[in-house]
Amino acid sequence: MTTKPILMIKYTIFLMFLFLNCVLTAHAQNKAPLENNVVITSQEQKTRVYTNDNGELYVNVSPKDVVKFKAAGSVRYSDFGAKGDGKTDDIDFIAATHAFANLHGLLVKVDDGATYYIGGKERTVVIRTDTDFGKAAFIIDDTEVKNRNASVFTVGSDLKPFKLERISSLKRNQKKIDAPLPRPCLIKVTNSNIKQYIRFGLNQNNGSSQTDIFLADKNGYIDMSAPIIWDFEQITDITALPIDENLLKITGGRFTTIANKEKSVYAYYNRNIAIRRSHVLVEGLQHYITGEGDNGAPYGGFINIGDCAYVTVKNTVLTGHRTYNTIGAAGKPVSMGTYDLSINRALNVSFVNCSQTNDINDNKYWGILGSNFCKNLLYDGCTLSRFDAHQGVANATIRNSTLGHMGINAIGSGLLTIENSTVRGRSFVNLRSDYGSTWQGELVIRNCVFVPADGKPISASLISGSNSGQHNFGYTCYMPERITIENLRIDDSRHPDNYQGPAIFSNFNPKMTDSTYQEKFPYIKTNEIILKNITTTSKKPLRVSDNPFMFKNVKVKTY
């Protein structure tokens, strides 16, 4: 045998020995990869959770406990040291439990009857497996918070987003993108060179970058139930978020927020459950609020849904936040929006059989929902103070529901359907004037009851809004092209003395009274209204508007 082959054999043996030594060393340490910024080890010590001098979280799970937990298929907060006594801050133990569960795909459970206190430490718990909060209580204390932007829980995905560098433009209603994908994805696209939703009024601003979200399958075909709604001549960012196919369930739990007592300025608190994963069901959760005083900073939604699709919130009880005032961008006093539900850049989101703890007609509390850049939103069987789409929704449905003092507020496109529902706002639908009162599509109202201002004496209008035609919102503004109203009962029994009967439209532009008025940015009016079986308690007939000139070309068909 020559020297060269012998050297090769020795070198190969050396490499094998080196590899085996690495494996044995790793096995001896039993150290798992970093999981959700939590270092997990499995050394021959007892299971414990601790932090280092930098506040980083470490959890050691004994090999015996690893075997036990995996055999059971679940872990509990008490397994990792949580006291559940309502006084001890359990956030580190809760975070450690979920980090271990995420690593091994285990269900997380609570001890029924426990009360878990969560203080103001900056520690976000990442949920990636089914979680049963059961009959446990959680106290979230916001009186001394280190980072108001840090969520308490984030429901996340193991699938990583990635850029789609090859796509440089998109067209409205485009059916396919030239980008094969590893699996169905939610696509986020932005053109920062174009500004839209240039807000008008007390909270005026310079607008948001043109943005859209849509679903594409692995071959690049777009789900046309949530189509692309803008032309993108340029793209400054386009990101694909792979969609988890299995449903992640979060059930139960009674959460109470001790409200912050900060200055009443636009410094939103996001101490919440942030859902950032597709295919999620939240069921049976309850959220309460205590400790609201004479001032406080607003909240960005206890259930905060964003950058995801196919989320359902079901049989859930929420609470409206107290309304505080501040000085708006126009230098004048304004009421601050503050939410218990918030949705941003999300598709196919449903709220089913949801309600709130406070009176939906009490205007001391702000409307419970705010949303931006969404598609296919649903209320079904809900009793809530408000539905609201700020910077646009494409397609929304409200059915079998009751809406309170802030009613239905929306701008957007597609089909807006309200059926088998009662609305107690000042109008049946308010097309938000701060975004141009635009709805590019159709409005259908069917089998509903309208109680203007919850029965207070006002001159009722079904559809309210305002657009002077003098402000550039960053897009052409439309009224619904076709409006269908069928089987509507209007309870206007407490009308004012000068009441002429309910109007379909409020006076959208009091200055537009003849043809001399010129719009710099023309507001496209409704083409057709179809009416069938409209009744009023006052017995007064339904009128078109207090501004007959503005709506003189609208075709009204009565059946």
Side-chain angles (χ1 to χ4, degrees):
M1 183 178 291
T2 62
T3 303
K4 189 174 182 179
I6 292 174
L7 291 174
M8 290 295 294
I9 292 170
K10 288 182 177 179
Y11 183 69
T12 302
I13 293 172
F14 171 75
L15 291 177
M16 292 176 63
F17 173 81
L18 184 63
F19 173 77
L20 182 60
N21 183 63
C22 290
V23 171
L24 291 173
T25 300
H27 180 72
Q29 293 177 342
N30 286 322
K31 185 173 181 178
L34 193 69
E35 168 64 26
N36 306 332
N37 296 319
V38 180
V39 177
I40 300 176
T41 58
S42 183
Q43 299 174 349
E44 291 291 345
Q45 301 171 9
K46 67 178 182 179
T47 296
R48 71 186 186 105
V49 175
Y50 58 99
T51 58
N52 63 13
D53 293 339
N54 296 323
E56 296 169 330
L57 189 61
Y58 286 76
V59 54
N60 181 71
V61 186
S62 70
K64 181 179 178 181
D65 280 347
V66 170
V67 173
K68 180 178 72 172
F69 296 151
K70 292 176 72 173
S74 63
V75 285
R76 295 177 180 270
Y77 295 148
S78 57
D79 292 330
F80 288 78
K83 295 289 189 285
D85 58 9
K87 299 177 181 178
T88 306
D89 194 335
D90 283 325
I91 189 64
D92 286 346
F93 307 110
I94 293 171
T97 307
H98 282 279
F100 182 82
N102 296 341
L103 191 63
H104 296 284
L106 303 177
L107 167 69
V108 174
K109 294 183 177 181
V110 300
D111 293 309
D112 286 341
T115 298
Y116 301 100
Y117 175 82
I118 297 172
K121 177 188 289 189
E122 183 178 352
R123 177 82 69 205
T124 297
V125 179
V126 178
I127 298 175
R128 291 183 180 166
T129 64
D130 288 353
T131 299
D132 183 4
F133 291 129
K135 296 179 181 179
F138 294 79
I139 298 172
I140 300 173
D141 189 345
D142 285 352
T143 55
E144 294 184 16
V145 173
K146 297 296 183 183
N147 182 359
R148 60 182 171 81
N149 293 312
S151 297
V152 178
F153 296 91
T154 293
V155 182
S157 171
D158 290 320
L159 304 174
K160 303 301 181 184
F162 57 92
K163 302 294 184 181
L164 297 176
E165 305 290 354
R166 292 171 51 188
I167 301 175
S168 59
S169 64
L170 290 168
K171 291 291 185 182
R172 183 171 184 253
N173 291 322
Q174 183 174 322
K175 294 183 179 180
K176 188 178 185 296
I177 57 172
D178 185 18
L181 303 168
R183 63 194 299 144
C185 290
L186 178 68
I187 312 295
K188 297 194 304 178
V189 57
T190 302
N191 179 5
S192 61
N193 298 313
I194 298 291
K195 297 299 179 184
Q196 296 176 320
Y197 302 104
I198 303 169
R199 199 171 189 179
F200 177 78
L202 297 178
N203 284 318
Q204 63 194 33
N205 60 35
N206 295 321
S208 301
S209 296
Q210 184 184 48
T211 188
D212 206 347
I213 52 170
F214 57 91
L215 296 166
D217 68 15
K218 64 180 182 179
N219 296 314
Y221 286 99
I222 296 168
D223 181 351
M224 297 307 289
S225 70
I228 298 172
I229 60 174
W230 306 110
D231 288 331
F232 285 83
E233 296 181 0
Q234 293 178 299
I235 291 175
T236 54
D237 182 81
I238 183 165
T239 302
L241 292 83
I243 292 177
D244 290 86
E245 295 180 0
N246 62 303
L247 181 67
L248 189 151
K249 298 178 182 178
I250 298 172
T251 52
R254 179 188 174 100
F255 295 81
T256 299
T257 294
I258 303 176
N260 75 80
K261 294 175 174 58
E262 298 298 321
K263 294 180 180 178
S264 296
V265 296
Y266 281 114
Y268 277 91
Y269 270 61
N270 290 296
R271 299 264 293 164
N272 53 25
I273 299 175
I275 299 174
R276 301 292 183 264
R277 178 201 193 270
S278 295
H279 281 126
V280 173
L281 170 65
V282 176
E283 184 169 12
L285 182 146
Q286 301 174 51
H287 181 234
Y288 299 83
I289 301 167
T290 188
E292 290 184 316
D294 294 333
N295 54 270
Y299 280 82
F302 182 72
I303 297 179
N304 185 297
I305 302 167
D307 293 346
C308 56
Y310 309 111
V311 175
T312 298
V313 179
K314 187 176 182 181
N315 301 326
T316 289
V317 178
L318 301 147
T319 300
H321 288 260
R322 184 170 173 178
T323 301
Y324 296 110
N325 295 324
T326 191
I327 301 299
K332 297 180 180 180
V334 63
S335 298
M336 288 191 297
T338 179
Y339 311 102
D340 221 33
L341 291 173
S342 182
I343 325 170
N344 295 282
R345 292 182 176 87
L347 305 180
N348 304 334
V349 178
S350 300
F351 297 93
V352 181
N353 298 330
C354 294
S355 60
Q356 64 185 79
T357 63
N358 30 27
D359 183 356
I360 64 172
N361 298 306
D362 189 340
N363 61 14
K364 293 197 303 292
Y365 302 97
W366 194 255
I368 202 158
L369 170 78
S371 69
N372 297 283
F373 312 118
C374 291
K375 297 178 181 178
N376 301 338
L377 299 184
L378 170 68
Y379 273 12
D380 191 354
C382 293
T383 302
L384 298 170
S385 58
R386 179 169 83 157
F387 174 92
D388 200 359
H390 290 73
Q391 296 179 77
V393 60
N395 305 321
T397 300
I398 298 169
R399 61 183 180 228
N400 309 317
S401 296
T402 300
L403 280 299
H405 73 100
M406 294 189 81
I408 298 169
N409 302 266
I411 63 162
S413 61
L415 179 61
L416 174 57
T417 303
I418 305 120
E419 56 187 3
N420 301 316
S421 295
T422 298
V423 177
R424 295 179 174 273
R426 294 186 64 84
S427 59
F428 195 89
V429 175
N430 176 46
L431 300 176
R432 292 184 61 115
S433 59
D434 49 351
Y435 293 111
S437 295
T438 185
W439 187 273
Q440 189 177 4
E442 294 191 39
L443 168 62
V444 175
I445 300 170
R446 184 184 297 117
N447 303 325
C448 289
V449 175
F450 177 36
V451 185
D454 192 33
K456 298 180 180 67
I458 65 166
S459 293
S461 58
L462 298 184
I463 303 165
S464 62
S466 177
N467 189 322
S468 68
Q470 307 304 318
H471 180 78
N472 179 14
F473 292 94
Y475 39 74
T476 300
C477 293
Y478 297 82
M479 299 191 77
E481 179 182 5
R482 179 185 292 110
I483 299 171
T484 302
I485 306 173
E486 182 179 337
N487 299 327
L488 174 67
R489 180 168 63 85
I490 303 171
D491 183 355
D492 55 354
S493 54
R494 295 184 62 190
H495 51 272
D497 293 339
N498 61 348
Y499 185 55
Q500 301 176 45
I504 298 172
F505 298 111
S506 65
N507 192 344
F508 276 63
N509 186 356
K511 294 183 179 180
M512 181 181 278
T513 57
D514 57 44
S515 58
T516 62
Y517 187 87
Q518 297 297 311
E519 296 174 297
K520 292 181 181 178
F521 304 95
Y523 186 32
I524 311 303
K525 314 302 187 294
T526 295
N527 180 48
E528 182 182 47
I529 300 174
I530 299 170
L531 303 176
K532 183 178 181 180
N533 191 26
I534 314 299
T535 60
T536 63
T537 305
S538 67
K539 307 299 182 183
K540 293 182 180 290
L542 186 65
R543 303 174 298 118
V544 174
S545 176
D546 286 336
N547 190 335
F549 176 80
M550 185 173 184
F551 300 102
K552 61 185 175 61
N553 293 323
V554 177
K555 301 173 185 175
V556 180
K557 299 179 181 178
T558 303
Y559 296 91

